[in-house]
Amino acid sequence: TSSTFSNPTNVSTPQHEFLGNWINVDPEGGLTKLTISEGKNSWEIEGWGKCQPRDCDWGKVPFNLIGTSISDKLFQIGFASWEFEGASKVEIKSFITVKLIGEKLFVEKITIFTDDSGRSNYRSVHLLKRASKK
């Protein structure tokens, strides 16, 4: 389930800086774009990966806000995961953590293959810049 975040006074908090459209500073990066949005009781993230002739939309999934302790309400890290299915079963699981570093979004992505293809699981890092303001 996604993180519930209650902000009854609509005060801008550090996690609100996550909101918006982000594009990879490396146009050849496997992760090309992220959009992070806030719903009434949860946050969502939509991702795109490098494909031809246009980027593949990974779809929207819950974006979980993570603090540094059980009582921390100034969430500085986000987490999300996607499962990509082949003809008969889940073949790829992707997990990301995101953190703001200055004006950039630092993304660590872990890819796990579950299809017995012999492909190696791997880690990649990406730096994204804001494409447009919230």
Side-chain angles (χ1 to χ4, degrees):
T1 66
S2 60
S3 295
T4 299
F5 174 72
S6 176
N7 189 359
T9 59
N10 266 344
V11 174
S12 182
T13 56
Q15 61 268 24
H16 283 92
E17 292 301 313
F18 286 128
L19 296 173
N21 299 308
W22 299 87
I23 55 172
N24 200 326
V25 298
D26 176 4
E28 297 303 314
L31 168 68
T32 59
K33 183 170 60 170
L34 292 173
T35 297
I36 301 172
S37 56
E38 180 183 17
K40 183 176 179 180
N41 293 315
S42 64
W43 290 48
E44 290 183 323
I45 187 169
E46 187 169 7
W48 286 264
K50 188 75 172 167
C51 291
Q52 294 298 331
R54 67 181 151 206
D55 292 345
C56 300
D57 185 346
W58 295 353
K60 286 184 180 180
V61 296
F63 183 67
N64 298 283
L65 299 169
I66 300 171
T68 58
S69 72
I70 198 165
S71 60
D72 185 8
K73 300 298 183 201
L74 299 177
F75 305 104
Q76 298 178 21
I77 298 172
F79 176 84
S81 64
W82 287 265
E83 292 186 356
F84 304 100
E85 296 183 10
S88 60
K89 63 178 180 173
V90 173
E91 293 184 353
I92 302 172
K93 294 181 180 181
S94 290
F95 305 90
I96 66 166
T97 59
V98 301
K99 182 172 183 158
L100 283 166
I101 298 179
E103 296 291 315
K104 302 280 194 300
L105 196 65
F106 177 79
V107 179
E108 180 178 29
K109 180 175 170 264
I110 305 293
T111 302
I112 307 293
F113 296 97
T114 59
D115 60 356
D116 300 323
S117 65
R119 297 177 283 182
S120 296
N121 301 328
Y122 68 95
R123 171 188 175 265
S124 58
V125 293
H126 307 274
L127 194 60
L128 285 74
K129 63 183 178 180
R130 190 176 296 283
S132 63
K133 198 65 178 164
K134 311 170 215 156

